[in-house]
Every structure is written in C-alpha cells, then in structure tokens.
Amino acid sequence: MSKIVSVHSFRGGTGKSNTTANVAVTTASQGLRVGIIDTDIQSPGIHVIFGMDQTKIKRTLNDYLWNRCGVEETAYDVTPPEVSKNQGKVFLIPSSMNIGEISRILREGYNVALLNNGFKKLVSSLELDYLFIDTHPGINEETLLSVTISNILLIILRPDRQDFQGTAVTVDVARKLNVAKLLLVVNRVPQKFDLNSVRQQVETTYNATVAGVLPNCEEMMELQSSDLFCLRYPDHYISKEIRGIVDHIYEKPKTVGGLKKLFGR
C-alpha cells in the first residue's frame, strides 16, 4: 500500500526541507519509489538540496495549479546514484521561485481540491510507494488538506519554547483529524543538551513518539543545503538517526507480491 507522509512544522526555520529530503532519499534507498512534492509555494527551496538549477526547470507545481499542464509533467527524476544501486527512485515536484508566480499565489490563492487530485495522480502515474509532502509552515487550508489525506504526519520542531507551543496546536489538530500515525522529530538541538532527555521530555509533553533527535553540527551548517547530508556523511550520527526515522515510517511488505498501491493500483 502506498503511503502519503506530510512533513510539517508550525514555524519556519526548523530544517523541515532538509529533513524531508534526507528522510525521503533514505527511504528510497530501501529499493522504493519515492516522490517529494514542495507545497511550500510561498517560500520553495527543496530543489536546491538536489542541485536543480531553477532556470532549467520547465514545469513546476505552480503550472499544474494554474492548469497549464498535468501534474506528472512537473515531476523530475532526481535519483542519486547511491539510491539507483539499490533499485530505488526519487522524483521531485518543485514549486516556482519566480517572484511573479509567488505573488500570484499570495494574491489569488489556488484550488486546494486540485492539489488533492494532484497527490493522487502522482501516486498512480509514478507508481509511488511513498509520497512526501513538504508543507508550508503554520496552519492553513493546504496544511489541513495534507494532514487529512496523510497516512503519516511527521512534525519537525526545535527545542524552543515558541516551537513547543506551536507544535501543541499542530498535534491537537492532527488528533482531531484522526491522523493514522503521528511522529515527532526534534531538530537543531544544541550539542550540550542530553539527547535522551530531550527525547523523553518531548514524548511526555505531547504523548507522541519521537522518531528522531537531530543535534546541531558543523557539517550540516557547512553543507548549506547544497547536498544530501545522508549521502555525504553516511556514517554520521545524524545519518544514523535519519535511518531510525525511516524505520518508523517504512513498513516492509508482508506479501511476496510487494507493496499494494493506494488509489486503485
């Protein structure tokens, strides 16, 4: 069965896109077909982590939302060689960095129902095992849609009082919407903090599973979102913790035939 995973944070600056990219690629390394869609239309950027040149991107999610093309035309194969060796695939659906496109979204909005249809079409046409949705921070109509249709909601937060309060709102919304699986990831934790204590505190606060605790590190800062951390530093503690997050997400198929697909496949 295909799974939709929404990756969300109540506030910006949590490292959501980096986490999404690394978790998705690590998932694909299991020999799976994975899609990533950047629905943070007001401030897109996950394509940078995959080394995509914005000037060479012909179609984006914006084009689909304005009925200029089919959603499958906005998907780019960005599979790293390390993932290809394991028979995995990674597709990225970027949003436009064009200021005119962003301004139009802010001014006119877009058809959220069309976005929902796009998710389903991507899963079907690309034969995806997992679709990761990189959401816009905060709570809005698009976020509520993503949460509602998701099998898994991965909430990213920092050990910060404002993040804690905002995350409480998101967790409450998710539970009211009956999200099947709720996971938390604590990111950018100061190195002097005890990571196990942070994990226990967050789990107790929200009564939810903490899938990973990721500390601040020089290597991540030096990378400056120019590459996939899990591939550049596969033996690093953060990469191992990302694999732990994937263990919480990935459900191995129980039948010889493999994963059964959602949406009729």
Side-chain angles (χ1 to χ4, degrees):
M1 175 180 282
S2 299
K3 299 286 187 182
I4 294 180
V5 183
S6 283
V7 187
H8 186 65
S9 63
F10 188 80
R11 301 172 66 221
T14 60
K16 176 174 55 65
S17 293
N18 258 301
T19 303
T20 302
N22 281 279
V23 170
V25 167
T26 302
T27 301
S29 297
Q30 307 295 316
L32 300 170
R33 295 175 67 86
V34 171
I36 308 167
I37 182 166
D38 188 354
T39 64
D40 189 358
I41 301 175
Q42 297 178 23
S43 52
I46 198 169
H47 62 278
V48 175
I49 302 170
F50 288 90
M52 295 182 71
D53 184 348
Q54 179 69 26
T55 62
K56 296 180 181 179
I57 298 176
K58 295 182 179 179
R59 295 292 189 186
T60 66
L61 179 61
N62 305 65
D63 292 301
Y64 166 69
L65 294 175
W66 299 128
N67 294 305
R68 298 169 184 156
C69 66
V71 69
E72 58 278 355
E73 297 177 62
T74 69
Y76 296 82
D77 187 338
V78 293
T79 310
E82 296 90 337
V83 174
S84 293
K85 287 193 300 184
N86 293 327
Q87 310 304 313
K89 277 285 187 182
V90 182
F91 299 94
L92 176 63
I93 296 85
S95 285
S96 176
M97 289 283 288
N98 181 280
I99 188 63
E101 295 286 329
I102 295 173
S103 297
R104 183 178 178 184
I105 287 290
L106 293 173
R107 184 175 62 252
E108 301 178 20
Y110 57 89
N111 186 341
V112 175
L114 189 62
L115 185 61
N116 185 22
N117 292 336
F119 294 153
K120 295 179 181 180
K121 288 179 182 178
L122 285 170
V123 169
S124 177
S125 63
L126 299 178
E127 300 183 333
L128 298 179
D129 296 301
Y130 285 86
L131 175 63
F132 286 83
I133 304 173
D134 184 14
T135 68
H136 184 67
I139 302 294
N140 56 28
E141 191 176 1
E142 172 263 312
T143 300
L144 294 174
L145 167 67
S146 299
V147 171
T148 301
I149 68 170
S150 295
N151 304 101
I152 301 169
L153 174 61
L154 192 65
I155 300 176
I156 315 296
L157 68 152
R158 297 172 300 177
D160 175 274
R161 193 172 299 275
Q162 291 184 57
D163 272 24
F164 277 13
Q165 292 180 358
T167 298
V169 174
T170 307
V171 168
D172 185 51
V173 168
R175 286 182 170 142
K176 288 179 179 178
L177 293 174
N178 297 315
V179 173
K181 191 170 188 177
L182 172 66
L183 300 171
L184 304 175
V185 173
V186 192
N187 197 19
R188 297 184 173 176
V189 180
Q191 291 192 1
K192 66 178 182 179
F193 284 23
D194 181 89
L195 300 184
N196 287 328
S197 295
V198 171
R199 183 186 300 271
Q200 292 172 7
Q201 178 189 356
V202 174
E203 286 189 339
T204 300
T205 299
Y206 302 107
N207 190 27
T209 299
V210 172
V213 179
L214 310 177
N216 262 330
C217 73
E218 290 295 325
E219 294 89 342
M220 181 67 80
M221 294 174 66
E222 291 171 358
L223 205 55
Q224 298 179 333
S225 299
S226 63
D227 201 354
L228 290 153
F229 189 92
C230 62
L231 300 183
R232 181 75 72 89
Y233 302 101
D235 298 321
H236 195 282
Y237 174 84
I238 286 180
S239 297
K240 293 177 181 177
E241 196 72 358
I242 288 170
R243 290 195 288 274
I245 296 170
V246 172
D247 286 341
H248 284 277
I249 293 173
Y250 174 46
E251 296 178 4
K252 294 182 179 180
K254 297 180 181 179
T255 62
V256 176
L259 294 171
K260 293 181 180 180
K261 306 294 179 183
L262 192 61
F263 305 129
R265 189 174 172 270

